[in-house]
Amino acid sequence: MIIDLRSDTVTKPTKGMLDTMLTAEVGDDVYKEDPSINALEQRLADMFGMDEALFFPTGSMANQAALKLHTNPGEQVICDKYAHIYNYEGGGASFNSGISCKLVDGHRGMFTAEQAETSINPPDFYHSPLTSLIAVENTTNKGGGACWDFEELKKLRQVATNHGLGYHLDGARLWNALIVKDQSPKQYGELFDTISVCLSKGLGCPMGSVLIGNNDLMQGAIRVRKILGGGMRQVGFAAAAGLYALDNHFERLAEDHKKAKEIAEVLSKNTSIEKVEPIETNILIFELKSDVNETDFLNRLSEKGIQIIGMGSNKLRMVTHLNYSDAMHERLLQILVSI
Ligand SMILES: *Cc1c(COP(=O)(O)O)cnc(C)c1O
């Protein structure tokens, strides 16, 4: 039995999802003629109470498009030092938008409104890049699936408004935060100018992300998507998977969270492990004791069929997901006691 906990992106479409995909109505989405894509976009726009939504092949492309829509070359985005847009999008911020990132030294990928405010370059100080955007991530990936305090997000909205900055949410795993915090998409729609969400993480779709926002900014989104090479033709098959996932794979995220907590309990008793970071959602980050060799530890797990990934500095990551079954969970807990 292979237990793959490297990421929640390793899932395969469920039978129900595949059946829905097979019978999806499709058309040429570059001409906006794909009924399944149009339905998914409309559903997400309505769900978040925003004007428009646009389907993207990946979350990285959705985020990159958002950066482009909010900024001009030479400007600067404020984000956490752990941010996906900074660490894991191939340097796209500078490549695609010609912007730099002002990194905030936050906690678990999150920072305070005060930290953001002090990171803003004075607009009349022409020696520095012009600050034009604040970008946050919820849940945080490198921060171990941590969820933002909604009050802090509101304060950040105020900072953005006061300084005329855009406000973007990388909500690749926003679904997980909504479930665990019992929040509604509309709360987020009211706060942010743009929001990207992934269908290919916890929701278990083979592909797809959606950028959601209001008319003023989103007007240019379809052109930016075309420029980035993200205009696709009969892509409604993927939208059908997304619609299916919203109906069938959203509420169940609570199960992934519960399993992650149970794994953490066992891990925290393991003598090779220094510390397990607090578990809020489906990501579990833990640190090995300094005398434990990371490669050896990973090999021992791998011999038992367990796949997880290293995050650097003796930290390892596990992510629970749709294809991580109860049987796998039981087996993993047994193995972790003795590893
Ligand atoms: C996965 C992820 C993305 C998008 O990743 P893609 O692989 O490009 O779909 C964006 N932000 C965060 C925080 C993520 O975890």
Side-chain angles (χ1 to χ4, degrees):
M1 185 193 277
I2 299 290
I3 303 177
D4 190 348
L5 294 173
R6 287 170 302 162
S7 173
D8 47 8
T9 55
V10 300
T11 56
K12 309 233 167 96
T14 52
K15 170 93 172 49
M17 182 180 278
L18 278 175
D19 287 344
T20 313
M21 290 168 77
L22 275 176
T23 54
E25 254 192 88
V26 296
D28 190 334
D29 182 49
V30 171
Y31 295 133
K32 297 305 294 164
E33 284 171 6
D34 188 300
S36 301
I37 286 284
N38 293 342
L40 175 72
E41 290 175 347
Q42 190 61 55
R43 176 158 174 189
L44 284 168
D46 292 345
M47 206 172 167
F48 283 81
M50 299 180 97
D51 297 334
E52 268 186 58
L54 191 67
F55 186 83
F56 282 82
T58 68
S60 296
M61 197 190 282
N63 280 334
Q64 289 301 313
L67 295 181
K68 184 71 199 155
L69 292 169
H70 281 286
T71 63
N72 291 306
E75 295 178 355
Q76 198 160 63
V77 52
I78 294 171
C79 63
D80 190 87
K81 64 179 189 293
Y82 280 2
H84 195 277
I85 57 165
Y86 174 71
N87 290 288
Y88 302 123
E89 295 183 10
S94 57
F95 190 96
N96 298 311
S97 295
I99 58 170
S100 56
C101 298
K102 175 88 150 220
L103 300 182
V104 182
D105 185 18
H107 175 62
R108 302 189 74 200
M110 301 171 292
F111 47 90
T112 64
E114 225 177 290
Q115 281 179 301
E117 189 142 36
T118 55
S119 304
I120 299 170
N121 296 325
D124 54 353
F125 189 67
Y126 55 79
H127 307 277
S128 305
L130 184 69
T131 307
S132 46
L133 175 64
I134 300 174
V136 301
E137 195 173 304
N138 200 21
T139 71
T140 63
N141 177 344
K142 202 172 157 71
C147 301
W148 279 77
D149 170 15
F150 200 75
E151 289 309 309
E152 205 61 43
L153 292 177
K154 281 193 198 162
K155 287 184 198 160
L156 274 165
R157 164 79 271 172
Q158 208 48 56
V159 172
T161 304
N162 292 347
H163 295 269
L165 311 179
Y167 193 25
H168 173 69
L169 169 62
D170 175 354
R173 293 190 182 80
L174 183 63
W175 310 115
N176 299 82
L178 294 176
I179 288 288
V180 82
K181 296 280 184 189
D182 198 19
Q183 294 165 333
S184 75
K186 287 207 170 70
Q187 282 175 268
Y188 284 87
E190 278 169 17
L191 223 51
F192 287 91
D193 298 317
T194 48
I195 299 173
S196 63
V197 292
C198 280
L199 304 168
S200 55
K201 304 273 166 85
L203 291 184
C205 295
M207 66 172 289
S209 281
V210 179
L211 183 67
I212 310 153
N214 287 327
N215 277 337
D216 46 350
L217 275 162
M218 291 299 287
Q219 261 178 16
I222 198 162
R223 182 187 297 273
V224 173
R225 187 182 71 176
K226 184 75 187 175
I227 291 169
L228 295 175
M232 297 179 288
R233 305 297 179 173
Q234 286 71 29
V235 73
F237 297 112
L243 289 163
Y244 179 89
L246 288 171
D247 289 331
N248 297 283
H249 296 166
F250 180 27
E251 300 290 336
R252 65 153 302 286
L253 290 173
E255 282 175 43
D256 298 343
H257 302 165
K258 180 167 168 277
K259 285 188 177 121
K261 280 214 168 86
E262 288 167 359
I263 298 170
E265 249 173 64
V266 174
L267 274 181
S268 59
K269 289 178 197 137
N270 187 301
T271 51
S272 302
I273 290 161
E274 177 70 34
K275 168 172 161 240
V276 183
E277 290 184 9
I279 311 301
E280 288 189 67
T281 54
N282 67 331
I283 303 180
L284 202 149
I285 292 180
F286 61 97
E287 195 180 332
L288 295 173
K289 291 228 165 95
S290 54
D291 60 345
V292 180
N293 181 281
E294 182 178 317
T295 313
D296 289 347
F297 187 83
L298 285 173
N299 284 342
R300 268 183 279 150
L301 286 176
S302 155
E303 277 161 20
K304 309 251 182 206
I306 300 165
Q307 300 177 344
I308 69 172
I309 58 168
M311 299 287 279
S313 27
N314 243 21
K315 282 186 182 178
L316 300 171
R317 187 185 83 169
M318 294 184 183
V319 190
T320 55
H321 54 73
L322 180 63
N323 290 164
Y324 175 59
S325 66
D326 292 345
M328 290 176 185
H329 188 51
E330 247 174 66
R331 183 169 157 74
L332 179 80
L333 294 182
Q334 277 169 8
I335 291 170
L336 290 181
V337 168
S338 55
I339 203 91

